[in-house]
Amino acid sequence: MLRRLTIRDFVIVDRLELEFQSGFGALTGETGAGKSILLDALGLALGGRADAGAVRIGRDKADIAAEFELPVGGGLSDWLTSQDLPGDDGMVILRRVVESGGRSRAWINGVPVTQAQLREAGDWLADIHGQHAHHALIRGDAQRALIDAHAGAAALANDVAVRFRAWQQLAELRRTAEQDSAASERERELLAWQIGELRDLAFDPDEWVEINHEHSRLAHAASLTEGADEALATLGEGDGAVTSLLRHIGVRVDAMADIDPGLGDVRELLAGAAIQADEALHALRRYRDRLDLDPQRLAEIERRIGAVTDVARKYRVDPEGLPELLDTWSGKLEEMVARADPVHLAEQEALARRAYDEAAARLSAARRPAADRLSREVSEAMQTLAMAGGQFAAVLEPCAPSAHGVEAAEFRVAANPSQPLRPLAKVASGGELSRIGLAIQVMTSRDSATPTLIFDEVDVGIGGGVAEIVGKLLHRLGQERQVLCVTHLPQVAACADWQWNIAKSNRGNEVVSAVTPLEMDGRIEEIARMLGGVSITDTTRRHAAEMLGVTAAP
């Protein structure tokens, strides 16, 4: 449940730090005092849409933070762990900052997140029912969504939508293949020829490195031979050969070292040099013996290099990129072949249609009992909302397959027992729509696992005894979870477990909103104001106290 809400520089709120209680709480005050603004601020913290108008005039940014108890079960704890957003001490803190330029940032438990992540977390924590929700009930999509919510079938509905899109994509591919088979065939033939050219080239990256090295060696064979002969002559041929000179010097230094041991290091260095020179001589002779002028092999390698280079230049890639190009084209050809085969596509389309039908059947099976249950519960609620004998029906009519399933939803109502059921949009008056809408919201909220429910003037259009019944409905709902309600009706406010007064005042050149938690005397005074208007009399106060079940102070 919501424990704390902190608001800074939001619309007409400068600074507010609110501590919330459990049960049913009523937020009351004059029109325009800022009651709905508090809920708008909470909506932002829950991931709602932000704009620059949320920032108080003359301020750089609005800052809203909401602290919730972490619900036991329900999956939010696992979700936070999976997102690396663990909370402390069983709490979840959502924060939203909106800058005057319109940019917004979000945090969960002090970690920066996206708005989508904030909204997903918010869906686990609170559900806001706005004052215009009743009017949305006349739309078929809203009616279907309510039935799905009542059925707990949101995942099933999403699965149906995914399978429908997959089916329609295959159907479109099949139609395209049937219409454009000639053009597709030409494109496939060209691609197949290009793939064949690359395969015939049989390019191998390791071979490419090797033949380039061999080409370099063969192309410079004459200069390599000349250099090898010169080095061999210097190292090992004639009296002035390096190896002979090193051996001669070594003998002389050996004799000198026998006389003077201080030449021992020189003797070892010369001996090592003689050995290395001799090894270099033998290695150079072996290299020279293998070195050969082979014009025929050189021409063969040059033809191979030319063929690879020509193909690479033709397709505008480096030679090393030819294998990747072959893989890409091969995959594309396989896809084109699959797409261009109407028979194969028809088979895939049939499989996708079957998967869609199965998912839609599961969704329908979940919707039917939920629609019956919603019809029964709302009809029962109507009897207590000044619509005795009225009847409500959530009807599911078969329709063409769509992303929403194979039935259309329609809410029908008979406000009086003598009337037939007719579409809600055509027969319900404004007051009846408000009462029916409130009954539906209360009933569907019971199925929700959301720990905090917020109603923003959803009782508009009702009054008298009906308002008292609505208050009692919300009070019963508050026994199961936290309920917050912005209301102008004293009958509803009197049923609340606790009550706050929201008022605005002038402070210098600014208008600010303030929130005052009300004790019993304050509640009597506020409900008397709601009952009596401008002039509050003792009689009005006694009436307010009676509604609260207490005795007014003399």
Side-chain angles (χ1 to χ4, degrees), residues 148 153-165 359 363 367 403-404:
D148 287 348
L156 282 174
N158 183 67
D159 186 44
V160 167
V162 170
R163 293 179 185 274
F164 180 79
R165 287 193 293 270
L363 179 58
R367 279 173 171 169
H404 307 299

Side-chain angles (χ1 to χ4, degrees), residues 520-529 541 544-545 548 550-552:
M520 186 55 68
D521 288 345
R523 291 192 68 182
I524 291 173
E525 199 69 19
E526 174 64 7
I527 290 177
R529 180 197 64 77
R541 291 187 179 92
L548 288 165
V550 298
T551 301

Side-chain angles (χ1 to χ4, degrees), residues 6 28 37 45 64 73 113 153 157 196 227 250 255 277 281 286 351-352 382 384 390-391 438 448 452 502 525 532:
T6 304
T28 62
I37 289 175
I64 301 103
V113 296
L281 177 63
R286 289 193 298 272
L351 290 174
M382 287 172 64
T384 64
Q391 187 178 1
L438 184 59
S448 170
T452 298
I502 294 91
E525 199 69 19

Side-chain angles (χ1 to χ4, degrees), residues 193-276:
W193 184 87
Q194 292 171 328
I195 290 171
E197 184 178 26
L198 290 182
R199 286 177 176 164
D200 290 343
L201 186 65
F203 177 84
D204 179 70
D206 294 334
E207 178 219 16
W208 179 246
V209 173
E210 197 173 302
I211 65 171
N212 274 283
H213 288 163
E214 187 178 0
H215 177 266
S216 179
R217 186 173 62 254
L218 290 173
H220 299 87
S223 63
L224 290 172
T225 299
E226 182 182 349
D229 289 342
E230 183 180 349
L232 284 170
T234 303
L235 275 173
E237 298 177 0
D239 294 336
V242 171
T243 53
S244 297
L245 290 172
L246 285 172
R247 283 193 295 271
H248 175 71
I249 295 170
V251 171
R252 290 295 304 272
V253 172
D254 281 344
M256 294 167 63
D258 290 340
I259 299 171
D260 184 357
L263 292 171
D265 290 343
V266 176
R267 176 169 58 186
E268 290 179 5
L269 290 170
L270 286 171
I275 292 171
Q276 291 181 354

Side-chain angles (χ1 to χ4, degrees), residues 136-148:
L137 292 176
I138 64 177
R139 302 198 317 265
D141 58 338
Q143 295 172 0
R144 182 186 61 250
L146 275 170
I147 292 174
D148 287 348

Side-chain angles (χ1 to χ4, degrees), residues 1 44 48 67 76 90 166 171 285 288 330 341 368 403 407 456 461 480 491 498 516 528 554:
M1 66 177 243
L44 270 181
E67 183 177 325
L76 178 58
R285 282 174 179 165
R288 176 63 183 82
S330 297
D341 185 351
R368 283 191 290 270
E407 57 267 319
D456 184 10
E480 303 168 7
Q491 298 94 328
W498 51 274
T516 305

